[in-house]
Amino acid sequence: MTERYVLDLQEVDETQVAVVGGKGAHLGGLSRIEGIRVPAGFCVTTDAFRRIMAEAPSLDDRLDQLSRLNPDDREAIRTLSAQIRRTIEGIAIPDDLTAAITRALARLGEQAAYAVRSSATAEDLPTASFAGQQDTYLNVAGPTAILQHVSRCWASLFTERAVTYRQRNGIDHRTVHMAVVVQRMVFPHASGILFTADPVTGNRKVATVDAGFGLGEALVSGLVNPDVFKVRHGEVVAKAIAAKQRAVHALPTGGTQEVAIDSRRQEQPALTDAQVVRLVQLGRRIEAHFGRPQDIEWCLVDDGFQIVQSRPITTLFPIPETGDQENHVYVSVGHQQMMTDPMKPLGLSMWQLTAMVPMHAAGGRLFVDVTRRLAAPASRAGLLDVMGRGDPLVRDALETVLDRDDFVPSLPDAGPGGPPTGGASATIETDPAIVTELIERSQVSIAALERDIRTKTGPALFEFLLEAFAEHKRVLSDPLSMQAIMAGMEATWWLNDTLQEWLGEKNAADTLTLSAPDNVTSEMGLALLDVADVIRPHSEVVAFLQGVEDEGFLDELAKLAGGTEARDAIEAYLDRYGMRCVGEIDITRPRWRERPTTLVPVLLDNVRNFEPGAAERRFEQGRQKAQQKEQDVLSRLRALPDGDRKAGEAKRMIDRVRTFIGYREYPKYAIVSRYFVYKQALLEEAERLVQAGVLPQKEDIFYLTFQELHDVVRSNQVDDRLVQQRKDAFRSYHALTPPRVLTSDGEAVTGAYRRDDVPAGALIGLPVSAGTIEGRARVILDIAEADLEAGDILVTTFTDPSWSPLFVAVAGLVTEVGGLMTHGAVIAREYGLPAVVGVERATRLIRDGQRIRVHGTDGYVEILP
């Protein structure tokens, strides 16, 4: 039985994580790749660890206590994990286990020096690297010392850091086991890390090598700055040689020590260019073996490279799959749609099936391939113009890619890029009846969908839905609707550009669009103020709502004084807006109608912060301000040379913007209304699958694509493993930051604001709603946690229409994502809120409660002392 306690590295591969842990499995896999040298060694398996844990029954109780601790209770975790480590280190290693380890040492050379390295079963996984969570001991010599350090590695599963990491990531301590890798020590001339993809930009074609003298610990621990080499297509394309003042060397007596490097050697590169290129070739071989980019620890010994670790780089954003070898440039859909969170598979596939252009999924997000449009000069100009007006960072990122002459091919203008966008809108009259007619058309189509879907179940439902998606796209692509949207946007741009030229006035359209009619999203925010008016007089209802946790609370309301009126007001609001929610382009997200508690904190804020009749007053004040602005602008224009003509043109554009800009929000409302109808039908289908024992729970359908769900309904069979894989992948996507622009090389291109007209230290963004406001920053990542006071400034990652009920209660807005015509910007202008969007990392750079000043006219935010 003793043999399973020790396995030679040559006997294991990456399928044996459960036996030898992540590091051991990877090293075993590495040692099997042709041309890759790994220092000889063996693994003490997880069976040995389980045997040790069984020797101390008291550990069971302590693990129970540990799992009950709050991850933030650092003191308790520190104390308990230290007790567990002491207990493990104090257990005498049984004789048969000692014998197995000493036999393995005798085979490799008993008096040689070894590295003793912990290898946990939840380490170096594709979705969580756990890097640096457990311990490594270098230059350990003699069987007694090695056995002692094996015990220390077992104990290191319970360092405070490792315990906290598992608790935060919801990993049960009992499911993780510790193996130990014992390897012949190498005494390198140089060592370091090789990333087979650029860890900063994500570019898969660029490898990065960090190198220093001596053992790699000096780099890993941050003791020295490494030399950094970048390699592309087999040649060094960039390098920075650091002054390497210190190195870590092994001592003859065991252990390691820091040593100073001779001043003449400090500036010397640790590797020659030829060695760097050779190392990257080895890295590409390892990457091909594991099938994904790797983070590799290497040593240079006598002009030969030895590999001591390889693990996946978990921070890279995945690349959309195309199946060809061409270059592609992708633009993020999430940044246009104000939803940069990952979407579940059903959400992705439903958006793909109902979108007007082909969309590619990667990392739980959607992207549009713009390569063909960038390739031809005319379509390129149109695309850059539209992107630049929407989000200057996207335009800058695209221009960065175009500046690399060889990446985007050049095509003649007649290519399949199509005409530049937005050319067809000039023909439409400025007539409010057009908007009325478009809204009616949409409502008729949705009513027909609700009526016809009722009778459909099983495979027939899916056939019906495919027809419904065709109707969905027909309504969306209605030429009149497109013209109305473009007319409003182009009139806004005309007013801003022309009035700046004629009157020197920035962003004049922001005031001229206040309280524009027919805006379903701004009406939604004001309508919740009206609901608050119904609730405010009834103290019992207000008190009840403050304690609400259960989604069934509406039925309870009727038992209270004033509760029936309150319930009816909330129900009427949900009838009109209940299909909305944060991240609503993902059909799987819970809608307000499904989770009405989401609205309760906002409602209570409105009850507390406003007087009765606030909605009507707010709208009327905005309308009057816009009217005054119009009179002011026109009278100033008339005083100019050729003033009557200028005033006449401006008046036509002001009428145009007020007629059409509100409609800009309607198509999204119509899409989301249809989505809720689709969702309810699919969930009823899911309920039938649960009743039939095919699925354990309804929400599992969210992890299947539309087509896969169709197949499940036809066959009454589901692949449970696939659902579980999709759940794990979705969880891992939350840790990824989606890029605005992504290339087929995997490079995430962020773009920059090229501006020098802002104060030092200010956070730069895009000005989308004029005015300057000072106030307390409220950093809110979840609408259900809103707790606002009058005068607060909302700071968040992105705002889709569902956030607009919060807009009525705040004095200003800052978001990380957004453009001039995205929903948050349109509503901020209608409510007259100074707003700056597209502020990179705003929710991390601005702390909740800090005082800030938002410059909505000039596009920057100051953090005040």
Side-chain angles (χ1 to χ4, degrees):
M1 286 302 284
T2 56
E3 284 319 299
R4 64 193 184 129
Y5 291 139
V6 171
L7 289 171
D8 194 273
L9 267 184
Q10 301 282 337
E11 296 177 71
V12 298
D13 63 24
E14 50 273 39
T15 61
Q16 287 162 280
V17 172
V19 183
V20 293
K23 190 177 297 171
H26 265 82
L27 283 167
L30 281 167
S31 65
R32 292 166 173 236
I33 305 171
E34 198 178 328
I36 302 296
R37 290 166 58 202
V38 174
F42 60 88
C43 300
V44 182
T45 65
T46 51
D47 285 342
F49 173 76
R50 276 190 284 268
R51 169 91 185 267
I52 289 295
M53 294 295 277
E55 297 278 323
S58 66
L59 283 171
D60 241 17
D61 293 342
R62 292 208 172 128
L63 286 181
D64 282 341
Q65 282 172 270
L66 197 57
S67 60
R68 286 197 295 270
L69 291 179
N70 181 330
D72 295 321
D73 189 348
R74 296 185 57 175
E75 197 47 51
I77 288 177
R78 185 177 301 135
T79 310
L80 193 50
S81 57
Q83 285 174 3
I84 294 171
R85 285 198 305 280
R86 275 199 303 276
T87 305
I88 294 172
E89 285 185 38
I91 295 168
I93 301 178
D95 293 347
D96 54 343
L97 186 44
T98 302
I101 294 171
T102 46
R103 268 203 303 279
L105 282 172
R107 283 200 297 276
L108 288 175
E110 211 164 87
Q111 292 317 308
Y114 289 87
V116 182
R117 315 172 71 191
S118 34
S119 176
T121 52
E123 189 177 34
D124 296 352
L125 305 177
T127 54
S129 78
F130 290 75
Q133 293 297 325
Q134 279 88 33
D135 295 350
T136 285
Y137 302 96
L138 298 177
N139 202 26
V140 184
T144 311
I146 286 168
L147 287 166
Q148 185 189 353
H149 284 86
V150 168
S151 281
R152 284 191 186 163
C153 283
W154 288 329
S156 76
L157 192 60
F158 297 98
T159 60
E160 183 188 344
R161 199 172 44 173
V163 166
T164 307
Y165 187 94
R166 289 196 293 271
Q167 291 195 228
R168 286 197 196 289
N169 287 278
I171 297 164
D172 179 353
H173 300 298
R174 289 181 201 291
T175 61
V176 184
H177 299 115
M178 182 64 87
V180 182
V181 177
V182 180
Q183 271 177 298
R184 280 292 290 259
M185 187 70 194
V186 290
F187 299 99
H189 158 73
S191 58
I193 299 159
L194 156 63
F195 296 99
T196 64
D198 188 320
V200 179
T201 67
N203 194 326
R204 311 301 202 265
K205 300 262 173 81
V206 175
T208 301
V209 175
D210 290 5
F213 294 123
L215 290 164
E217 297 309 291
L219 299 191
V220 176
S221 62
L223 179 66
V224 296
N225 287 329
D227 297 339
V228 181
F229 301 86
K230 291 196 184 291
V231 176
R232 187 185 175 99
H233 300 318
E235 60 177 313
V236 176
V237 290
K239 60 180 162 185
I241 306 304
K244 298 168 287 296
Q245 290 160 354
R246 310 192 72 69
V248 173
H249 284 292
L251 290 169
T253 52
T256 60
Q257 99 181 99
E258 269 180 52
V259 294
I261 294 176
D262 181 326
S263 59
R264 286 176 308 234
R265 276 185 71 215
Q266 287 181 6
E267 304 279 349
Q268 277 182 4
L271 295 178
T272 65
D273 284 11
Q275 286 171 327
V276 170
V277 169
R278 201 166 82 229
L279 174 61
V280 170
Q281 285 168 345
L282 296 177
R284 292 279 174 231
R285 203 174 287 179
I286 294 169
E287 177 182 68
H289 175 82
F290 289 118
R292 54 193 305 160
Q294 298 287 303
D295 159 356
I296 297 165
E297 290 177 31
W298 56 268
C299 294
L300 177 67
V301 189
D302 306 328
D303 202 38
F305 286 104
Q306 300 215 20
I307 304 299
V308 293
Q309 180 138 335
S310 183
R311 56 173 162 253
I313 309 175
T314 54
T315 53
L316 297 174
F317 200 87
I319 306 171
E321 285 175 24
T322 54
D324 64 31
Q325 296 302 306
E326 307 290 312
N327 288 349
H328 294 271
V329 182
Y330 302 100
V331 171
S332 158
V333 173
H335 286 82
Q336 319 285 315
Q337 289 292 342
M338 298 298 90
M339 160 63 179
T340 52
D341 290 349
M343 295 166 73
K344 295 192 179 92
L346 186 63
L348 289 168
S349 69
M350 293 288 278
W351 194 260
Q352 285 171 308
L353 286 164
T354 51
M356 303 310 298
V357 290
M359 292 188 176
H360 306 267
R365 277 77 168 191
L366 289 169
F367 294 87
V368 173
D369 186 341
V370 295
T371 322
R372 299 304 291 261
R373 288 177 63 189
L374 284 176
S379 58
R380 179 190 311 146
L383 179 74
L384 289 175
D385 184 48
V386 169
M387 290 293 172
R389 287 186 182 278
D391 182 342
L393 292 177
V394 173
R395 177 178 183 140
D396 188 75
L398 290 173
E399 286 175 337
T400 303
V401 176
L402 284 168
D403 286 344
R404 299 177 192 151
D405 299 337
D406 56 343
F407 194 80
V408 176
S410 271
L411 291 176
D413 272 339
T421 44
S425 56
T427 52
I428 190 173
E429 291 295 312
T430 303
D431 179 2
I434 293 174
V435 173
T436 311
E437 183 196 335
L438 284 167
I439 289 172
E440 270 172 20
R441 279 188 205 176
S442 174
Q443 286 171 337
V444 166
S445 171
I446 291 168
L449 171 69
E450 287 174 326
R451 183 188 65 236
D452 297 344
I453 204 168
R454 282 191 194 124
T455 55
K456 309 289 187 289
T457 61
L461 169 67
F462 287 82
E463 302 301 332
F464 172 80
L465 281 171
L466 288 170
E467 289 167 31
F469 298 162
E471 164 69 1
H472 180 124
K473 286 159 93 160
R474 190 192 65 72
V475 173
L476 263 189
S477 60
D478 180 338
L480 190 63
S481 176
M482 304 296 276
Q483 287 177 325
I485 291 168
M486 285 313 294
M489 288 180 10
E490 286 175 353
T492 306
W493 297 334
W494 186 94
L495 285 167
N496 279 340
D497 295 348
T498 312
L499 295 180
Q500 179 146 19
E501 188 190 324
W502 288 347
L503 297 175
E505 176 139 359
K506 274 188 187 173
N507 303 8
D510 294 2
T511 313
L512 294 166
T513 51
L514 286 169
S515 300
D518 298 313
N519 187 321
V520 68
T521 311
S522 57
E523 285 164 8
M524 173 168 78
L526 297 173
L528 203 62
L529 288 175
D530 291 337
V531 177
D533 287 354
V534 176
I535 289 168
R536 196 178 290 106
H538 305 295
S539 54
E540 254 187 88
V541 172
V542 174
F544 169 76
L545 288 175
Q546 279 160 347
V548 155
E549 282 176 10
D550 178 22
E551 297 304 340
F553 74 93
L554 289 171
D555 298 333
E556 301 292 308
L557 274 175
K559 302 171 187 167
L560 308 172
T564 309
E565 298 94 302
R567 187 194 60 197
D568 291 350
I570 295 172
E571 284 284 1
Y573 185 85
L574 290 172
D575 285 345
R576 181 140 167 76
Y577 304 110
M579 76 296 284
R580 308 223 84 149
C581 67
V582 172
E584 60 193 9
I585 71 168
D586 181 352
I587 197 169
T588 72
R589 289 285 192 104
R591 312 281 135 178
W592 289 344
R593 174 50 88 187
E594 296 168 305
R595 200 175 282 176
T597 52
T598 311
L599 289 172
V600 170
V602 193
L603 250 178
L604 289 169
D605 282 350
N606 288 352
V607 166
R608 193 175 66 243
N609 294 333
F610 291 91
E611 296 293 316
E616 199 177 334
R617 272 198 309 281
R618 283 288 292 267
F619 189 78
E620 189 49 37
Q621 282 161 358
R623 208 178 58 77
Q624 284 177 11
K625 255 194 201 162
Q627 224 169 354
Q628 284 157 6
K629 182 70 173 178
E630 177 180 330
Q631 286 162 0
D632 167 56
V633 162
L634 296 179
S635 68
R636 282 161 63 201
L637 286 174
R638 286 192 195 101
L640 297 175
D642 198 14
D644 285 349
R645 178 187 65 80
K646 288 176 176 165
E649 278 187 49
K651 171 68 176 145
R652 273 198 302 282
M653 284 300 177
I654 291 169
D655 290 348
R656 202 162 173 75
V657 87
R658 290 196 70 78
T659 300
F660 292 118
I661 202 66
Y663 177 72
R664 158 80 184 80
E665 293 291 298
Y666 201 86
K668 181 85 172 266
Y669 174 76
I671 290 171
V672 175
S673 300
R674 298 179 77 89
Y675 260 33
F676 193 37
V677 180
Y678 306 152
K679 181 180 189 178
Q680 287 168 305
L682 289 172
L683 281 173
E684 281 173 27
E685 209 51 51
E687 185 56 51
R688 278 189 280 279
L689 291 169
V690 171
Q691 296 301 325
V694 177
L695 285 178
Q697 51 198 35
K698 276 196 310 197
E699 284 74 20
D700 283 355
I701 67 164
F702 297 160
Y703 296 95
L704 300 170
T705 65
F706 180 80
Q707 192 53 56
E708 288 164 348
L709 179 54
H710 190 178
D711 293 341
V712 169
V713 167
R714 266 201 296 255
S715 66
N716 263 350
Q717 286 178 313
V718 72
D719 179 351
D720 296 330
R721 270 198 330 254
L722 176 69
V723 171
Q724 192 50 52
Q725 276 169 353
R726 295 274 178 78
K727 287 181 178 178
D728 293 343
F730 177 70
R731 238 195 333 270
S732 75
Y733 295 152
H734 280 278
L736 300 173
T737 303
R740 281 179 165 79
V741 170
L742 178 68
T743 73
S744 48
D745 286 352
E747 184 177 359
V749 193
T750 45
Y753 293 107
R754 316 263 170 209
R755 290 175 53 190
D756 49 14
D757 58 342
V758 296
L763 309 179
I764 301 177
L766 180 65
V768 295
S769 183
T772 302
I773 190 78
E774 258 182 49
R776 176 178 73 151
R778 291 311 320 267
V779 180
I780 296 175
L781 301 178
D782 179 351
I783 189 172
E785 277 154 29
D787 179 12
L788 297 164
E789 300 291 341
D792 282 349
I793 296 170
L794 174 61
V795 180
T796 187
T797 42
F798 58 80
T799 61
D800 57 12
S802 69
W803 285 77
S804 56
L806 255 62
F807 284 21
V808 294
V810 296
L813 172 70
V814 179
T815 67
E816 294 182 350
V817 175
L820 263 177
M821 285 295 164
T822 46
H823 302 275
V826 173
I827 305 306
R829 288 195 289 273
E830 285 223 5
Y831 285 169
L833 296 180
V836 180
V837 302
V839 179
E840 292 278 84
R841 299 175 51 237
T843 58
R844 279 168 281 183
L845 296 172
I846 299 169
R847 284 200 315 279
D848 188 49
Q850 271 184 322
R851 284 195 71 73
I852 60 173
R853 188 182 296 133
V854 176
H855 295 263
T857 311
D858 294 315
Y860 63 92
V861 180
E862 289 179 284
I863 298 175
L864 302 175

